[in-house]
Amino acid sequence: MKKTILISATILITIIACKTKKEVAKDTATAVEGAKPVLDCSTSGLTYADIKPIFDKQCISCHDYGGGAGGYNFTSIGDVKRAGTNGELLGTIKWKRGFPLMPKNDEQLGQASIDLIECWIKNGMKE
């Protein structure tokens, strides 16, 4: 009888311990998946041609030839570089406090697009 109780207790403890390890592993995986990855801007060949499609799709419907909303015309590189240099570009697309949220009346750009633009700026805004 004592042997049966001992075996049952050992099995029960093992099951509880395994479940706890699985829950910890799941929580750890969720925390890692939810963490923002460190931005790697080591791509030295990034040029305006790489980010222009983002502006063409998301920005130039407002920031175009007619003077552009907010004084920016994003149909060419000049104003894009100006907004990149003065911090307004990243402030608006990252939805930072104190900046208008862009794109206006739309969802925030995807993280991959934001990262690409940020890397282009950090790498010197090459044409």
Side-chain angles (χ1 to χ4, degrees):
M1 180 76 167
K2 287 182 181 182
K3 191 174 188 180
T4 304
I5 294 173
L6 184 59
I7 291 172
S8 296
T10 304
I11 291 171
L12 184 61
I13 291 171
T14 303
I15 290 171
I16 292 170
C18 288
K19 184 177 178 184
T20 303
K21 286 180 185 177
K22 286 180 185 176
E23 288 173 355
V24 169
K26 182 180 176 184
D27 291 344
T28 303
T30 302
V32 171
E33 288 171 14
K36 185 176 178 187
V38 175
L39 184 60
D40 178 16
C41 292
S42 61
T43 309
S44 60
L46 199 58
T47 67
Y48 179 66
D50 297 309
I51 64 161
K52 187 177 183 312
I54 300 168
F55 290 96
D56 289 347
K57 182 180 178 188
Q58 299 290 333
C59 306
I60 63 170
S61 61
C62 296
H63 300 278
D64 60 359
Y65 301 105
Y72 289 106
N73 174 353
F74 287 160
T75 59
S76 63
I77 193 171
D79 280 356
V80 177
K81 282 180 129 179
R82 182 167 59 97
T85 301
N86 68 22
E88 287 187 74
L89 181 55
L90 286 179
T92 59
I93 65 173
K94 286 183 158 189
W95 290 18
K96 289 186 173 182
R97 179 178 282 178
F99 291 93
L101 308 181
M102 295 292 156
K104 189 173 185 174
N105 300 322
D106 204 350
E107 294 180 12
Q108 187 176 19
L109 294 178
Q111 191 61 49
S113 295
I114 293 170
D115 289 349
L116 197 66
I117 293 168
E118 185 170 3
C119 285
W120 176 72
I121 292 169
K122 286 182 175 183
N123 284 328
M125 297 181 278
K126 297 175 184 162
E127 293 188 37

